[in-house]
Amino acid sequence: MAEKKKRDHFGSKIGIIAAAVGSAVGLGNIYRFPCMAGENGGGAFLIVYIGIVLALGLPMMVSEFVIGRRSQRNPVGAFKTLASGAKGWPLIGYMGVLCGFLILTFYTTVAGWTIESVYKSIINYYQGKNLAEIEQGFNDSINMTFRPLLWQAVFIFISAFVIVKGIEKGIEKYSKILMPTLTVILIILCVKSLMLPGAFEGMKFLFKPDFSKIDGHVLISALGQVFFSMSLGMGALITYGSYISKKDNLVTTSLMVGLSDTFVAILAGIIIFPAAFSFGIRPEAGPSLAFNTLPLIFNQMKGGYFFCLIFFILLVIAAWTSALSLFEVIVSYLTEELKLSRRKATIYSSVGAFIISILAAMSLHNDSSLTIFGFTVFDGLDKITSMVLMTLGGLFTVIFLGWKVKKQDFEDEFTNGGIVNMRLKKIFYFIIKYLAPVAIAVIMVSQFII
Ligand code: PHE
């Protein structure tokens, strides 16, 4: 009991939403989603993506919140508690902690680039440069030994600074300031992008589906992207769920978080594609879209200095609040299961993530031979986490909730003890027990067949 009392919680409903949206909305929405959509046929990808969010993403988000709030524990402890002693299940939790750690290692690399880009914007570096020069500059920066590592360290430091303060005074307090700022910046940039001549072509690319583009690869990429973007399948939302007050409605919370996340991804597409098309840049440009193309475009706009700066600040904020939830998975595990102090847990996880992130960063050097499964360490970590660990984690999580956890436990959390969501209960339970496991398994297998 004494241990339970000490557990920190979110102080308000707004706080939970801000923190959970903060976790979900990240580089995944603003940088990875437009890349994915660009590479997988635009509108067709968007439709598949939205379908998966509604049919699978939302029920899975609810599942994780249910598991977290019921158990009041970190991901490993949660599976231990709810499996009532049955062996094996806690492995899902361990896989989540590992996955969180691995995501952090390449996430901090990209987050480092965003800080570097803020710096470049401030010193007006982009002014007067053409695309080749900007790209060259970006590649040169990535190829430097210490500079990317310095920015990574700065990013890890600002994340650790918030994490060490705890849930209400750390994650919640900062998310409540950062997320509204992010929203304002997004809206300003969308309006600006839509006012560009030729914006319509970009909108057409994003919204007009070409169904011939949909194949197994698009499906698994979209599924992986949904998991990544909604922070599913690795325990982040189990952890946040464990800090949600018993009075809050888990279904409406999930709806708000899931829909905001999707909305932000679409807004990011609305910022990037019209701008790209308006300047004749191909949508398949990949990572280059956010880091090179946009500065070039801003460069040629009136007020470009300002727009470029706020765009990269937007990326830093998005990455920062997501990293908080990644850290919290590891820190909650270390403090609750291994009984470390919060301070020590923060230091160990930061230093550990920094060390592996060095490999991720170095693997992008032109002459690097750091590869796994034929990919650079950086790409390999991205693919292993989103396409394997998170999807497997998600699959086992719904199987666990549908088949192992007592139905009464699910119902109590889902309906707050019989008060809310009574009608939805059956539909969600059906999805969690049957539809979601089958659908995830089919998509995972289909990538090898189609
Ligand atoms: N959802 C985050 C994003 O879109 C990434 C993330 C994944 C964060 C998993 C936490 C857990 O960038």
Side-chain angles (χ1 to χ4, degrees), residues 23-29 103 107 228-229 231 234 236 322 325-326 390:
S23 167
V25 168
L27 296 173
N29 303 60
I103 294 178
Y107 210 76
F228 190 84
S229 187
S231 308
M234 45 70 63
S322 294
S325 69
L326 291 162
M390 294 175 102

Side-chain angles (χ1 to χ4, degrees), residues 189-208:
L189 289 172
C190 263
V191 172
K192 178 76 193 168
S193 188
L194 285 175
M195 280 165 27
L196 292 171
F200 183 68
E201 277 309 303
M203 294 297 278
K204 225 165 76 187
F205 175 77
L206 182 61
F207 291 110
K208 192 163 166 248

Side-chain angles (χ1 to χ4, degrees), residues 361-406:
M362 305 274 256
S363 77
L364 293 174
H365 288 187
N366 284 339
D367 54 359
S368 163
S369 52
L370 289 166
T371 54
I372 23 174
F373 308 127
F375 296 108
T376 60
V377 171
F378 177 91
D379 280 338
L381 286 169
D382 179 341
K383 294 216 156 45
I384 292 172
T385 48
S386 76
M387 286 159 108
V388 183
L389 292 179
M390 294 175 102
T391 34
L392 272 183
L395 175 64
F396 288 127
T397 302
V398 278
I399 293 179
F400 177 70
L401 187 58
W403 298 86
K404 178 69 194 168
V405 175
K406 290 192 212 83

